[in-house]
DNA sequence: CTGGCA
DNA sequence: CCAGG
């Protein structure tokens, strides 16, 4: 076990903002990353880590190298973003594994966080390697390329199952260079990702932001669309949904600038929080 | 397509 | 029936 001193870092916000699906909170947060179990807990500015993974990896994984003062001053364009930065200060993007991230967001299409979390867990338990009791690695493309469609049925993936097997085979057979996308500029990377069946701009943007370090990516889902309409004006109302979301993302890139991916996460966690409040109120 | 809710 | 990171 070791501890890392952090500034402007909030572990709970970082792991609860919909970017990653394999962390669970009990007393400690527990997740499987890069084939190893990580247990993490924050005590003020100290991040406690219990894992075989070294501190360099953790530092990179949680993007502790990002200069948040600089990023905050860059995206702080108005009173809304100013209040969100104060409210969720320390929320960081995560540098995820591209393959796990791609599969996770193929699962995300027309799906809820709850169901996505279930499906990913199921994929790992069925096809991953057991690292320690109850914790499984995420199966490599070569592993998923060899399984049968019927084997994925129980993971409740529906129409997403063949998409996952298809891209697993393409990567395993070197017909698609997923890892090379890291070295492409944002738009070229997106052009490559949307060639995958089942990957549109939204899913491509998530993978580019969460795995390929393209901070100028701005994924627009239903929550982001609503909050953008509400605070920045619905200037794209008549367009069809996918077109409208594309226009919203282009606007956000111009408006928030080169770190708009960070702005997007602060908007997203606020939308999630509002939704949770609504659900809790309904349950009273 | 799946899950939650009415 | 609706929502859906």
């Amino acid at each position: 076990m070791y501890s890392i001193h952090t500034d402007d870092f909030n572990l709970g916000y970082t792991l609860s903002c919909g970017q990653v699906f394999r962390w669970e909170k009990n007393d400690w947060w527990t997740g499987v990353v890069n084939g190893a179990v990580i247990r993490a807990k924050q005590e003020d500015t100290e991040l406690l880590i219990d894992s075989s993974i070294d501190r360099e990896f953790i530092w990179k994984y949680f993007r502790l190298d990002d200069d948040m003062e600089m990023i905050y001053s860059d995206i702080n364009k108005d009173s809304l973003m100013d209040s969100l930065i104060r409210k969720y200060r320390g929320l960081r993007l995560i540098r995820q594994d591209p393959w796990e991230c791609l599969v996770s967001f193929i699962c995300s299409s027309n799906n809820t966080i709850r169901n996505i979390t279930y499906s990913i867990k199921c994929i790992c338990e069925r096809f991953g390697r057991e690292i320690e009791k109850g914790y499984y690695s995420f199966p490599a493309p070569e592993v998923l390329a060899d399984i049968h469609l019927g084997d994925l049925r129980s993971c409740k993936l529906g129409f997403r199952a063949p998409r996952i097997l298809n891209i697993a085979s393409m990567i395993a057979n070197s017909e698609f260079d997923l890892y090379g996308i890291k070295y492409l500029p944002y738009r070229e990377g997106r052009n490559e990702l949307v060639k995958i069946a089942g990957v549109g701009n939204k899913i491509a943007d998530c993978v580019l932001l969460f795995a390929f370090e393209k901070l100028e990516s701005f994924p627009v889902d239903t929550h982001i669309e609503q909050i953008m309409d509400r605070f920045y004006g619905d200037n794209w109302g008549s367009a069809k949904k996918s077109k409208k979301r594309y226009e919203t993302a282009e606007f956000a890139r111009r408006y928030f600038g080169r770190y708009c991916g960070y702005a997007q996460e602060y908007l997203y966690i606020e939308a999630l929080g509002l939704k949770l409040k609504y659900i809790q109120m309904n349950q009273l």
Side-chain angles (χ1 to χ4, degrees):
Chain A
M1 183 154 89
Y2 54 90
S3 126
I4 298 174
H5 180 81
T6 60
D7 291 303
D8 290 325
F9 178 63
N10 185 305
L11 180 65
Y13 289 149
T14 298
L15 295 177
S16 308
C17 63
Q19 56 179 328
V20 73
F21 301 96
R22 294 193 74 209
W23 285 86
E24 288 172 2
K25 187 179 190 305
N26 294 312
D27 182 25
W28 288 59
W29 283 96
T30 307
V32 179
V33 177
N34 210 25
V37 177
I38 301 177
R39 291 185 176 80
K41 184 179 193 172
Q42 184 164 25
E43 288 179 349
D44 298 311
T45 56
E46 295 303 309
L47 174 62
L48 306 177
I49 299 290
D50 182 6
S51 177
S52 60
I53 285 181
D54 66 24
R55 66 176 70 227
E56 279 309 304
F57 186 95
I58 298 290
W59 187 260
K60 284 281 182 185
Y61 180 74
F62 287 119
R63 297 196 70 103
L64 295 171
D65 50 326
D66 279 339
D67 180 347
M68 295 313 291
E69 283 296 348
M70 188 263 288
I71 290 169
Y72 287 147
S73 71
D74 208 69
I75 63 175
N76 195 344
K77 304 292 188 194
D78 53 50
S79 60
L80 171 66
M81 194 48 61
D82 188 65
S83 72
L84 294 180
I85 290 167
R86 275 185 279 112
K87 189 167 175 185
Y88 299 110
R89 194 172 187 95
L91 189 172
R92 303 231 178 193
L93 290 164
I94 288 177
R95 279 192 189 88
Q96 297 184 35
D97 171 73
W99 167 239
E100 180 175 333
C101 186
L102 174 63
V103 174
S104 299
F105 284 94
I106 288 175
C107 293
S108 80
S109 69
N110 290 297
N111 211 347
T112 56
I113 292 179
R114 207 195 108 102
N115 296 345
I116 299 160
T117 304
Y118 172 87
S119 292
I120 303 283
K121 190 176 180 188
C122 179
I123 290 172
C124 294
E125 287 177 357
R126 244 147 251 258
F127 311 109
R129 176 176 53 83
E130 190 168 38
I131 304 160
E132 61 175 74
K133 182 142 178 52
Y135 294 97
Y136 297 80
S137 66
F138 192 90
E142 296 73 27
V143 175
L144 293 188
D146 279 345
I147 68 173
H148 241 280
L149 199 53
D151 300 334
L152 270 183
R153 275 276 107 84
S154 54
C155 293
K156 296 174 181 174
L157 288 155
F159 63 88
R160 303 159 196 96
R163 297 173 171 181
I164 291 168
L165 295 196
N166 171 58
I167 185 59
S169 310
M170 287 183 70
I171 293 169
N173 300 332
S174 304
E175 292 160 33
F176 189 86
D177 180 16
L178 179 64
Y179 295 88
I181 291 175
K182 181 172 178 179
Y183 306 102
L184 299 177
Y186 167 67
R187 278 170 206 280
E188 286 177 37
R190 195 176 64 188
N191 289 342
E192 286 305 305
L193 283 168
V194 298
K195 289 176 184 169
I196 302 168
V199 177
N201 280 318
K202 156 65 171 60
I203 292 171
D205 274 343
C206 287
V207 178
L208 289 160
L209 182 59
F210 303 141
F212 290 127
E213 318 220 10
K214 307 305 178 201
L215 301 190
E216 69 269 54
S217 175
F218 193 91
V220 180
D221 76 322
T222 169
H223 297 303
I224 293 295
E225 187 177 281
Q226 279 176 36
I227 207 163
M228 291 295 289
D229 280 357
R230 203 157 118 223
F231 289 98
Y232 302 103
D234 181 4
N235 302 317
W236 319 280
S238 59
K240 92 172 221 239
K241 195 162 74 177
S242 61
K243 170 77 173 166
K244 180 181 164 183
R245 290 187 175 177
Y246 179 86
E247 303 286 341
T248 301
E250 292 300 329
F251 164 78
R253 235 181 310 284
R254 289 193 300 271
Y255 183 74
F256 290 115
R258 67 208 144 132
Y259 300 115
C260 70
Y262 260 106
Q264 191 272 165
E265 277 313 288
Y266 283 73
L267 292 165
Y268 187 80
I269 196 173
E270 172 69 0
L272 259 193
L274 294 174
K275 199 183 86 171
L276 289 176
K277 245 176 242 171
Y278 172 72
I279 291 166
Q280 280 158 14
M281 277 165 64
N282 268 357
Q283 283 171 351
L284 286 177

